[in-house]
Amino acid sequence: MNPSPSFRWALCYVEWIMIAGITLGCIIDGTFQISTVTTLYVITCLVGYALLSLIFPIERPLWQRQIYILIGILLALSVKFIGTGLELFFYLYIAKSCFLLNRKNLLLTLILIVSLGILTSILAVPESVKAQADLCGMLQGSKQIKLVIIEYLSNNLVSIPFIIAFSFMIISEQKSRQRAEALTQQVQTLAAALERTRIARDIHDSLGHSLTNLNSRLAIAQQKLRQHDIDTVFQAVDTAKFLASQCIEDVSRSLKTMRQTDFNLNQALTTLVEQLRYNQAFNIKWEINLPQLPLSNSHHIYCIVKEGLTNIQKHAHASQVFFRGKSTPEVILLELRDDGQGFDNTMPHSGLGLKGMIERVEMLGGNLIIKSTPGLGTQIQITIPL
């Protein structure tokens, strides 16, 4: 686990506070007045910890991390020889070992640390016995050693597991936070990609078709104008004017759809069919009776039907078109059929229109079935669960 920079600085601040607190404590309890050697040794250890606090070798080789931990532990243990201790740093570097070492190396390091602690306690006992001979004269040295070792083990068998468990809890929290940040970044990236796809699909389903038709009508007007066919020119210009108005209406509808909460799907589909009937020579019949749906669902259904009708307009060359939209207690049923030229449904389709229809139906959890035979028209059936 790679701790965040803020966490590393937090450890550094904790270590500096400990150094300042121990220094102040040594001044108050007279540790620095015991002897010059004691004072210099304690100050040397504190300076060593100050330098170590500036380093957190998480990215260094394993042997360097192990040496870093052992130096911190040995400094804390060595001070016992002069009759004082830096137990807080001992526990701090055990905690650091949880961040710097894997489970296997941590276990080996802990065994070594406990062994060094026991050895240090044994070696430090004779000096303490001499210093306390008047108070513990009845106790022999060996018995005093046993008592010190038992006290050392009893204290550390409780504190060390607690520190390790607490450190692993912090590591787990850090990992959870890093995973959450990574997932948040992925969600933001995915949301941006979905939004780009939605915008592209909406442009294709609305302005794309209208502008294509507008361009074709203007091309007809341009051609007939050169041939001095004024009636056809006027008809093409009128149609182009209608398509331009439809483009403006599509933009307006898209903007309203983003803002309004009472989108009337039946009315919007009826208007769409009526516009198509005005624009084309084929005969179109329809039956529309859909329930009130959430705004996003209504907008998707509207775009699905519009895409289907636009495909008939551009490719089918049909004379009769029928559209039905109804609902049952379980599903919404959409049916669109024509008597046009049809197509081979087994061949792959490169157009974006049909792909956009399929994407929208899948987003609604529905099913789309296309039945078409060359020369016999096309039938599209869509079921969307309520």
Side-chain angles (χ1 to χ4, degrees), residues 225-256:
L225 185 60
R226 290 194 179 97
Q227 298 174 358
H228 303 288
D229 189 348
I230 302 300
D231 293 336
T232 305
V233 170
F234 278 129
Q235 183 180 2
V237 170
D238 289 341
T239 304
K241 176 62 171 64
F242 170 79
L243 291 172
S245 300
Q246 190 175 13
C247 289
I248 297 173
E249 186 175 344
D250 285 338
V251 173
S252 177
R253 182 181 294 108
S254 297
L255 294 175
K256 289 180 180 178

mmCIF file of all heavy atoms in Angstrom, residues 225-256:
data_model
loop_
_atom_site.group_PDB
_atom_site.id
_atom_site.type_symbol
_atom_site.label_atom_id
_atom_site.label_comp_id
_atom_site.label_asym_id
_atom_site.label_seq_id
_atom_site.Cartn_x
_atom_site.Cartn_y
_atom_site.Cartn_z
ATOM 1 N N LEU A 225 -34.073 25.216 -60.731
ATOM 2 C CA LEU A 225 -33.924 26.626 -61.057
ATOM 3 C C LEU A 225 -33.092 26.793 -62.322
ATOM 4 O O LEU A 225 -33.384 27.648 -63.171
ATOM 5 C CB LEU A 225 -33.281 27.362 -59.882
ATOM 6 C CG LEU A 225 -33.161 28.881 -60.020
ATOM 7 C CD1 LEU A 225 -34.547 29.519 -60.179
ATOM 8 C CD2 LEU A 225 -32.440 29.469 -58.817
ATOM 9 N N ARG A 226 -32.073 25.954 -62.471
ATOM 10 C CA ARG A 226 -31.277 26.003 -63.689
ATOM 11 C C ARG A 226 -32.097 25.571 -64.913
ATOM 12 O O ARG A 226 -31.853 25.999 -66.030
ATOM 13 C CB ARG A 226 -30.049 25.112 -63.535
ATOM 14 C CG ARG A 226 -29.015 25.639 -62.542
ATOM 15 C CD ARG A 226 -27.701 24.899 -62.683
ATOM 16 N NE ARG A 226 -26.686 25.405 -61.758
ATOM 17 C CZ ARG A 226 -26.406 24.851 -60.583
ATOM 18 N NH1 ARG A 226 -27.061 23.760 -60.213
ATOM 19 N NH2 ARG A 226 -25.484 25.370 -59.791
ATOM 20 N N GLN A 227 -33.071 24.672 -64.674
ATOM 21 C CA GLN A 227 -33.924 24.187 -65.776
ATOM 22 C C GLN A 227 -35.157 25.067 -65.980
ATOM 23 O O GLN A 227 -36.014 24.760 -66.803
ATOM 24 C CB GLN A 227 -34.372 22.751 -65.473
ATOM 25 C CG GLN A 227 -33.220 21.761 -65.379
ATOM 26 C CD GLN A 227 -33.677 20.378 -64.934
ATOM 27 O OE1 GLN A 227 -34.864 20.167 -64.659
ATOM 28 N NE2 GLN A 227 -32.726 19.433 -64.872
ATOM 29 N N HIS A 228 -35.256 26.122 -65.161
ATOM 30 C CA HIS A 228 -36.371 27.073 -65.249
ATOM 31 C C HIS A 228 -37.709 26.400 -64.976
ATOM 32 O O HIS A 228 -38.739 26.777 -65.538
ATOM 33 C CB HIS A 228 -36.397 27.757 -66.628
ATOM 34 C CG HIS A 228 -35.120 28.461 -66.969
ATOM 35 N ND1 HIS A 228 -34.727 29.638 -66.351
ATOM 36 C CD2 HIS A 228 -34.131 28.137 -67.834
ATOM 37 C CE1 HIS A 228 -33.554 30.014 -66.839
ATOM 38 N NE2 HIS A 228 -33.158 29.116 -67.733
ATOM 39 N N ASP A 229 -37.690 25.369 -64.087
ATOM 40 C CA ASP A 229 -38.938 24.718 -63.663
ATOM 41 C C ASP A 229 -39.396 25.406 -62.390
ATOM 42 O O ASP A 229 -39.149 24.965 -61.269
ATOM 43 C CB ASP A 229 -38.693 23.228 -63.422
ATOM 44 C CG ASP A 229 -39.989 22.464 -63.184
ATOM 45 O OD1 ASP A 229 -41.037 23.116 -62.987
ATOM 46 O OD2 ASP A 229 -39.948 21.211 -63.164
ATOM 47 N N ILE A 230 -40.115 26.531 -62.569
ATOM 48 C CA ILE A 230 -40.440 27.395 -61.446
ATOM 49 C C ILE A 230 -41.347 26.695 -60.439
ATOM 50 O O ILE A 230 -41.159 26.825 -59.223
ATOM 51 C CB ILE A 230 -41.093 28.697 -61.944
ATOM 52 C CG1 ILE A 230 -40.149 29.415 -62.910
ATOM 53 C CG2 ILE A 230 -41.449 29.597 -60.769
ATOM 54 C CD1 ILE A 230 -38.825 29.783 -62.323
ATOM 55 N N ASP A 231 -42.321 25.926 -60.918
ATOM 56 C CA ASP A 231 -43.246 25.265 -59.988
ATOM 57 C C ASP A 231 -42.520 24.285 -59.068
ATOM 58 O O ASP A 231 -42.762 24.241 -57.857
ATOM 59 C CB ASP A 231 -44.333 24.520 -60.776
ATOM 60 C CG ASP A 231 -45.248 25.483 -61.524
ATOM 61 O OD1 ASP A 231 -45.345 26.660 -61.083
ATOM 62 O OD2 ASP A 231 -45.857 25.069 -62.531
ATOM 63 N N THR A 232 -41.650 23.503 -59.663
ATOM 64 C CA THR A 232 -40.886 22.556 -58.843
ATOM 65 C C THR A 232 -39.961 23.285 -57.879
ATOM 66 O O THR A 232 -39.741 22.856 -56.744
ATOM 67 C CB THR A 232 -40.067 21.620 -59.744
ATOM 68 O OG1 THR A 232 -40.938 20.987 -60.688
ATOM 69 C CG2 THR A 232 -39.361 20.550 -58.917
ATOM 70 N N VAL A 233 -39.405 24.417 -58.350
ATOM 71 C CA VAL A 233 -38.537 25.211 -57.481
ATOM 72 C C VAL A 233 -39.308 25.708 -56.272
ATOM 73 O O VAL A 233 -38.856 25.603 -55.125
ATOM 74 C CB VAL A 233 -37.927 26.389 -58.261
ATOM 75 C CG1 VAL A 233 -37.232 27.341 -57.293
ATOM 76 C CG2 VAL A 233 -36.956 25.893 -59.301
ATOM 77 N N PHE A 234 -40.488 26.248 -56.512
ATOM 78 C CA PHE A 234 -41.297 26.749 -55.402
ATOM 79 C C PHE A 234 -41.654 25.618 -54.430
ATOM 80 O O PHE A 234 -41.616 25.793 -53.214
ATOM 81 C CB PHE A 234 -42.576 27.413 -55.928
ATOM 82 C CG PHE A 234 -42.369 28.825 -56.385
ATOM 83 C CD1 PHE A 234 -42.810 29.241 -57.633
ATOM 84 C CD2 PHE A 234 -41.732 29.755 -55.567
ATOM 85 C CE1 PHE A 234 -42.617 30.534 -58.052
ATOM 86 C CE2 PHE A 234 -41.542 31.045 -55.983
ATOM 87 C CZ PHE A 234 -41.978 31.449 -57.224
ATOM 88 N N GLN A 235 -41.983 24.455 -54.973
ATOM 89 C CA GLN A 235 -42.326 23.331 -54.118
ATOM 90 C C GLN A 235 -41.121 22.898 -53.270
ATOM 91 O O GLN A 235 -41.238 22.618 -52.066
ATOM 92 C CB GLN A 235 -42.822 22.155 -54.960
ATOM 93 C CG GLN A 235 -43.269 20.959 -54.143
ATOM 94 C CD GLN A 235 -43.748 19.815 -55.022
ATOM 95 O OE1 GLN A 235 -43.720 19.906 -56.247
ATOM 96 N NE2 GLN A 235 -44.190 18.737 -54.391
ATOM 97 N N ALA A 236 -39.933 22.839 -53.896
ATOM 98 C CA ALA A 236 -38.732 22.444 -53.167
ATOM 99 C C ALA A 236 -38.359 23.472 -52.106
ATOM 100 O O ALA A 236 -37.954 23.124 -50.992
ATOM 101 C CB ALA A 236 -37.571 22.242 -54.138
ATOM 102 N N VAL A 237 -38.518 24.768 -52.444
ATOM 103 C CA VAL A 237 -38.202 25.821 -51.477
ATOM 104 C C VAL A 237 -39.177 25.775 -50.312
ATOM 105 O O VAL A 237 -38.790 25.957 -49.139
ATOM 106 C CB VAL A 237 -38.212 27.196 -52.165
ATOM 107 C CG1 VAL A 237 -38.119 28.313 -51.121
ATOM 108 C CG2 VAL A 237 -37.057 27.314 -53.141
ATOM 109 N N ASP A 238 -40.474 25.531 -50.610
ATOM 110 C CA ASP A 238 -41.456 25.421 -49.526
ATOM 111 C C ASP A 238 -41.101 24.267 -48.584
ATOM 112 O O ASP A 238 -41.189 24.402 -47.354
ATOM 113 C CB ASP A 238 -42.858 25.210 -50.108
ATOM 114 C CG ASP A 238 -43.397 26.467 -50.792
ATOM 115 O OD1 ASP A 238 -42.859 27.558 -50.498
ATOM 116 O OD2 ASP A 238 -44.326 26.345 -51.606
ATOM 117 N N THR A 239 -40.717 23.148 -49.191
ATOM 118 C CA THR A 239 -40.335 21.996 -48.365
ATOM 119 C C THR A 239 -39.083 22.311 -47.557
ATOM 120 O O THR A 239 -38.964 21.935 -46.380
ATOM 121 C CB THR A 239 -40.094 20.763 -49.245
ATOM 122 O OG1 THR A 239 -41.260 20.497 -50.024
ATOM 123 C CG2 THR A 239 -39.774 19.550 -48.393
ATOM 124 N N ALA A 240 -38.110 22.995 -48.172
ATOM 125 C CA ALA A 240 -36.893 23.369 -47.457
ATOM 126 C C ALA A 240 -37.214 24.297 -46.298
ATOM 127 O O ALA A 240 -36.638 24.178 -45.202
ATOM 128 C CB ALA A 240 -35.909 24.032 -48.418
ATOM 129 N N LYS A 241 -38.143 25.220 -46.555
ATOM 130 C CA LYS A 241 -38.565 26.129 -45.478
ATOM 131 C C LYS A 241 -39.199 25.340 -44.329
ATOM 132 O O LYS A 241 -38.933 25.602 -43.140
ATOM 133 C CB LYS A 241 -39.572 27.143 -46.024
ATOM 134 C CG LYS A 241 -40.157 28.085 -44.973
ATOM 135 C CD LYS A 241 -39.088 28.940 -44.330
ATOM 136 C CE LYS A 241 -39.714 30.024 -43.442
ATOM 137 N NZ LYS A 241 -40.451 29.450 -42.313
ATOM 138 N N PHE A 242 -40.008 24.360 -44.685
ATOM 139 C CA PHE A 242 -40.630 23.527 -43.646
ATOM 140 C C PHE A 242 -39.573 22.753 -42.858
ATOM 141 O O PHE A 242 -39.637 22.652 -41.633
ATOM 142 C CB PHE A 242 -41.627 22.564 -44.293
ATOM 143 C CG PHE A 242 -42.140 21.516 -43.363
ATOM 144 C CD1 PHE A 242 -43.136 21.797 -42.449
ATOM 145 C CD2 PHE A 242 -41.606 20.227 -43.380
ATOM 146 C CE1 PHE A 242 -43.595 20.829 -41.574
ATOM 147 C CE2 PHE A 242 -42.062 19.257 -42.510
ATOM 148 C CZ PHE A 242 -43.065 19.556 -41.601
ATOM 149 N N LEU A 243 -38.590 22.206 -43.571
ATOM 150 C CA LEU A 243 -37.532 21.443 -42.894
ATOM 151 C C LEU A 243 -36.690 22.334 -41.994
ATOM 152 O O LEU A 243 -36.258 21.913 -40.914
ATOM 153 C CB LEU A 243 -36.653 20.745 -43.928
ATOM 154 C CG LEU A 243 -37.316 19.592 -44.691
ATOM 155 C CD1 LEU A 243 -36.413 19.127 -45.818
ATOM 156 C CD2 LEU A 243 -37.640 18.441 -43.758
ATOM 157 N N ALA A 244 -36.432 23.569 -42.447
ATOM 158 C CA ALA A 244 -35.695 24.502 -41.605
ATOM 159 C C ALA A 244 -36.468 24.797 -40.325
ATOM 160 O O ALA A 244 -35.898 24.847 -39.230
ATOM 161 C CB ALA A 244 -35.408 25.793 -42.371
ATOM 162 N N SER A 245 -37.785 24.972 -40.471
ATOM 163 C CA SER A 245 -38.620 25.186 -39.287
ATOM 164 C C SER A 245 -38.594 23.962 -38.382
ATOM 165 O O SER A 245 -38.594 24.081 -37.144
ATOM 166 C CB SER A 245 -40.062 25.490 -39.708
ATOM 167 O OG SER A 245 -40.118 26.650 -40.515
ATOM 168 N N GLN A 246 -38.552 22.782 -38.995
ATOM 169 C CA GLN A 246 -38.505 21.554 -38.208
ATOM 170 C C GLN A 246 -37.191 21.457 -37.435
ATOM 171 O O GLN A 246 -37.160 20.993 -36.306
ATOM 172 C CB GLN A 246 -38.678 20.334 -39.114
ATOM 173 C CG GLN A 246 -38.875 19.032 -38.362
ATOM 174 C CD GLN A 246 -39.153 17.870 -39.291
ATOM 175 O OE1 GLN A 246 -38.967 17.968 -40.501
ATOM 176 N NE2 GLN A 246 -39.599 16.764 -38.713
ATOM 177 N N CYS A 247 -36.090 21.891 -38.051
ATOM 178 C CA CYS A 247 -34.808 21.898 -37.349
ATOM 179 C C CYS A 247 -34.878 22.783 -36.106
ATOM 180 O O CYS A 247 -34.408 22.398 -35.019
ATOM 181 C CB CYS A 247 -33.703 22.382 -38.274
ATOM 182 S SG CYS A 247 -33.243 21.229 -39.580
ATOM 183 N N ILE A 248 -35.459 23.972 -36.294
ATOM 184 C CA ILE A 248 -35.593 24.885 -35.163
ATOM 185 C C ILE A 248 -36.468 24.263 -34.081
ATOM 186 O O ILE A 248 -36.177 24.354 -32.879
ATOM 187 C CB ILE A 248 -36.181 26.229 -35.634
ATOM 188 C CG1 ILE A 248 -35.222 26.900 -36.621
ATOM 189 C CG2 ILE A 248 -36.479 27.137 -34.451
ATOM 190 C CD1 ILE A 248 -35.775 28.146 -37.270
ATOM 191 N N GLU A 249 -37.540 23.590 -34.514
ATOM 192 C CA GLU A 249 -38.429 22.952 -33.545
ATOM 193 C C GLU A 249 -37.731 21.804 -32.820
ATOM 194 O O GLU A 249 -37.949 21.580 -31.614
ATOM 195 C CB GLU A 249 -39.675 22.440 -34.258
ATOM 196 C CG GLU A 249 -40.738 21.896 -33.317
ATOM 197 C CD GLU A 249 -42.009 21.509 -34.057
ATOM 198 O OE1 GLU A 249 -42.172 21.940 -35.214
ATOM 199 O OE2 GLU A 249 -42.814 20.770 -33.472
ATOM 200 N N ASP A 250 -36.874 21.055 -33.555
ATOM 201 C CA ASP A 250 -36.142 19.970 -32.921
ATOM 202 C C ASP A 250 -35.215 20.496 -31.831
ATOM 203 O O ASP A 250 -35.103 19.911 -30.742
ATOM 204 C CB ASP A 250 -35.326 19.198 -33.965
ATOM 205 C CG ASP A 250 -36.190 18.297 -34.827
ATOM 206 O OD1 ASP A 250 -37.290 17.943 -34.373
ATOM 207 O OD2 ASP A 250 -35.761 17.957 -35.946
ATOM 208 N N VAL A 251 -34.523 21.594 -32.139
ATOM 209 C CA VAL A 251 -33.649 22.198 -31.136
ATOM 210 C C VAL A 251 -34.461 22.662 -29.936
ATOM 211 O O VAL A 251 -34.094 22.428 -28.778
ATOM 212 C CB VAL A 251 -32.865 23.376 -31.748
ATOM 213 C CG1 VAL A 251 -32.083 24.112 -30.667
ATOM 214 C CG2 VAL A 251 -31.930 22.881 -32.840
ATOM 215 N N SER A 252 -35.572 23.319 -30.216
ATOM 216 C CA SER A 252 -36.422 23.793 -29.129
ATOM 217 C C SER A 252 -36.945 22.643 -28.284
ATOM 218 O O SER A 252 -36.974 22.717 -27.049
ATOM 219 C CB SER A 252 -37.589 24.606 -29.703
ATOM 220 O OG SER A 252 -38.462 25.028 -28.679
ATOM 221 N N ARG A 253 -37.354 21.552 -28.957
ATOM 222 C CA ARG A 253 -37.873 20.405 -28.219
ATOM 223 C C ARG A 253 -36.787 19.773 -27.351
ATOM 224 O O ARG A 253 -37.046 19.366 -26.220
ATOM 225 C CB ARG A 253 -38.443 19.371 -29.183
ATOM 226 C CG ARG A 253 -39.046 18.158 -28.469
ATOM 227 C CD ARG A 253 -39.582 17.132 -29.447
ATOM 228 N NE ARG A 253 -40.711 17.652 -30.199
ATOM 229 C CZ ARG A 253 -40.674 17.990 -31.488
ATOM 230 N NH1 ARG A 253 -39.541 17.846 -32.172
ATOM 231 N NH2 ARG A 253 -41.729 18.465 -32.091
ATOM 232 N N SER A 254 -35.575 19.674 -27.880
ATOM 233 C CA SER A 254 -34.488 19.093 -27.097
ATOM 234 C C SER A 254 -34.195 19.924 -25.853
ATOM 235 O O SER A 254 -33.980 19.391 -24.758
ATOM 236 C CB SER A 254 -33.220 18.981 -27.960
ATOM 237 O OG SER A 254 -33.426 18.100 -29.041
ATOM 238 N N LEU A 255 -34.195 21.256 -26.030
ATOM 239 C CA LEU A 255 -33.953 22.125 -24.883
ATOM 240 C C LEU A 255 -35.076 22.032 -23.861
ATOM 241 O O LEU A 255 -34.843 22.010 -22.649
ATOM 242 C CB LEU A 255 -33.789 23.579 -25.351
ATOM 243 C CG LEU A 255 -32.548 23.864 -26.214
ATOM 244 C CD1 LEU A 255 -32.564 25.305 -26.712
ATOM 245 C CD2 LEU A 255 -31.277 23.582 -25.423
ATOM 246 N N LYS A 256 -36.333 21.976 -24.363
ATOM 247 C CA LYS A 256 -37.460 21.847 -23.439
ATOM 248 C C LYS A 256 -37.425 20.519 -22.705
ATOM 249 O O LYS A 256 -37.746 20.438 -21.524
ATOM 250 C CB LYS A 256 -38.778 21.978 -24.206
ATOM 251 C CG LYS A 256 -39.074 23.382 -24.697
ATOM 252 C CD LYS A 256 -40.394 23.425 -25.438
ATOM 253 C CE LYS A 256 -40.697 24.836 -25.939
ATOM 254 N NZ LYS A 256 -41.974 24.891 -26.703
#
